[in-house]
Amino acid sequence: CRCRALLSRPAGALRARRGLAAGPEMHFGFQTVTEEERREKIYQVFENVAKKYDVMNDSMTLGIHRVWKDILVHKMNPCPGTLLLDVAGGTGDIAFRFINYVRSVRKRQLQRKLKHHQNLSWQEIFESYQKDEFNSLGDSQVVVCDINREMLKVGKEKAQHLGYSEGLSWVLGNAEELPFDDDKFDVYTIAFGIRNVTRIDLALQEAYRVLKPGGRFLCLEFSHVSNPLLSRLYDLYSFQVIPVLGEVIAGDWRSYQYLVESIRQFPPQEELKAMIEDAGFFKVDYENLNFGIVAIHSGFKL
C-alpha cells in the first residue's frame, strides 16, 4: 500500500526531542490538571465512549453533525489523486465521505469523457467503465490517524461493514507527534478532535509539517455561539441534557460532562485563527455554522 511508505517516523521521536514531561497545569473540562494527567484522562474518555460514539453524536446534535461533516468535505473539494490525512478520525466519518466524494468526481469525469466520444463502440465503453471501477479513486488515499485504539477499532469495523477498503489506511498516532515524514499530504483534516489534544500549538505545528507546500489545513470544531439568546439555550441543553443522554445511551455521565465542559474551555474563533497563523499557515479564515455552534477553520501551507 502506498500509505505504508508514509509511516517512516518512529513513534515517540518528537516526544523525546521536545522533552514533553508532565508539563504545566491545564484544563480538563473545568478541572485543573497536569499535562500528563490531561492526556491520560482524555484517552480514557474516548476509550469509554468509542462503542457508542456515533450513536451519541446523532443524539447530541440531532444528526446535524452529519451535515457539518458533509460541508467540511465539500469545502475541501478533493480531486482524484488527493492524499488526505484525517487526524482524530477514528470512526471514519470524514474518510468515508472523502472516498464517496472522490468516487463521485471520478464518475462524472468518466461520463464527460464518454459524452465527448460519441463514436465509441459498446466494447470500448464497457472497458472504460471496467477500468474506472478498478481505479475509482484515481490514486487518492486517506490515512486515518487516531491516538485511541478503541476508536480505530470501531472505525475499522465500520469500514468493513460498509465496504470501504480501497485507498484507506488506519494508523495509531498522536496529533502532537505524527508518525509521518515532512511534506507528505495534500490535505489535513481534524473534525471534533483538536480541542481534545493536550497541546493545540504542537498539533498545529505538526499539521503544518506534514502538509506539502500548497497543502490545506481544515478543522471542524465546536466553537462559540454569537447569538446571546441561542447561547443561553445552548448552555442549558449542553449541561442539562447531554450528560443525561450520555448516562442513558452510553452509561457514562462523566465523559459527556467533560465533553461539554471542553467546548466551553476551547478558544473562540478569532483566537484559534491566530493560533493557526502562528503555526505558519496563510490565508487563514473560518466559517461559522449554526451561529457558531461549530466553525470550519481553513489555512494553507505556502
Side-chain angles (χ1 to χ4, degrees):
C1 175
R2 174 185 171 189
C3 297
R4 293 183 188 278
L6 300 172
L7 309 181
S8 53
R9 294 174 64 87
L14 287 182
R15 179 178 297 279
R17 192 182 76 208
R18 289 172 176 153
L20 295 181
E25 291 186 339
M26 50 180 54
H27 294 292
F28 174 77
F30 292 160
Q31 300 177 44
T32 300
V33 296
T34 67
E35 185 175 320
E36 192 57 40
E37 285 173 337
R38 185 177 194 272
R39 185 175 292 110
E40 291 171 2
K41 284 177 176 291
I42 290 174
Y43 188 92
Q44 193 59 52
V45 163
F46 287 94
E47 190 88 354
N48 294 342
V49 306
K51 288 184 173 62
K52 296 291 185 178
Y53 185 77
D54 289 332
V55 175
M56 276 300 299
N57 278 347
D58 282 332
S59 301
M60 289 188 302
T61 69
L62 307 178
I64 300 173
H65 76 100
R66 297 173 181 266
V67 177
W68 295 333
K69 291 167 182 173
D70 287 341
I71 293 171
L72 177 71
V73 174
H74 277 82
K75 193 176 183 75
M76 185 197 312
N77 190 24
C79 59
T82 298
L83 183 58
L84 168 66
L85 174 63
D86 183 39
V87 175
T91 57
D93 277 2
I94 301 302
F96 303 153
R97 282 169 169 78
F98 170 82
I99 290 171
N100 291 342
Y101 193 98
V102 173
R103 282 177 176 169
S104 178
V105 171
R106 286 280 293 170
K107 185 175 181 180
R108 290 197 301 271
Q109 287 177 343
L110 178 62
Q111 289 171 342
R112 284 196 299 269
K113 175 184 172 183
L114 295 178
K115 186 177 180 181
H116 286 91
H117 293 81
Q118 297 288 347
N119 296 324
L120 291 177
S121 67
W122 171 85
Q123 182 66 28
E124 289 170 323
I125 292 173
F126 176 77
E127 288 174 356
S128 291
Y129 268 105
Q130 287 292 99
K131 182 181 177 182
D132 186 66
E133 183 180 356
F134 286 112
N135 192 18
S136 64
L137 292 177
D139 296 324
S140 293
Q141 297 275 351
V142 52
V143 179
V144 180
C145 182
D146 201 294
I147 197 172
N148 194 284
R149 292 182 187 276
E150 279 300 310
M151 294 289 282
L152 286 173
K153 180 181 176 183
V154 170
K156 289 176 183 178
E157 289 171 353
K158 277 177 62 180
Q160 186 175 13
H161 175 72
L162 296 172
Y164 292 100
S165 59
E166 179 193 4
L168 177 61
S169 296
W170 306 86
V171 175
L172 185 69
N174 186 343
E176 300 167 45
E177 46 181 337
L178 293 169
F180 309 107
D181 281 339
D182 300 353
D183 306 328
K184 285 294 180 184
F185 296 94
D186 300 303
V187 183
Y188 171 113
T189 53
I190 184 166
F192 303 117
I194 201 164
R195 80 178 188 282
N196 295 309
V197 303
T198 307
R199 292 277 304 277
I200 295 175
D201 58 337
L202 294 185
L204 291 172
Q205 289 169 25
E206 281 292 271
Y208 187 88
R209 181 183 65 77
V210 300
L211 278 170
K212 297 175 183 177
R216 190 175 192 183
F217 168 87
L218 285 166
C219 170
L220 172 64
E221 188 53 85
F222 288 108
S223 202
H224 288 248
V225 178
S226 54
N227 182 290
L229 176 59
L230 180 59
S231 180
R232 287 195 290 272
L233 293 173
Y234 181 47
D235 277 347
L236 184 66
Y237 174 76
S238 297
F239 287 99
Q240 301 300 321
V241 177
I242 289 178
V244 176
L245 286 174
E247 181 64 30
V248 171
I249 296 173
D252 191 341
W253 176 293
R254 289 187 178 183
S255 291
Y256 286 94
Q257 180 72 22
Y258 155 72
L259 291 174
V260 170
E261 293 174 359
S262 71
I263 294 169
R264 299 311 183 274
Q265 297 285 14
F266 190 68
Q269 289 89 323
E270 285 293 329
E271 187 176 333
L272 181 59
K273 178 184 177 183
M275 294 175 74
I276 296 169
E277 289 172 335
D278 287 344
F281 289 99
F282 289 86
K283 202 180 178 185
V284 177
D285 61 13
Y286 61 87
E287 176 185 358
N288 283 330
L289 305 178
N290 297 96
F291 298 98
I293 290 178
V294 300
I296 298 176
H297 283 76
S298 171
F300 294 86
K301 176 178 178 177
L302 300 179

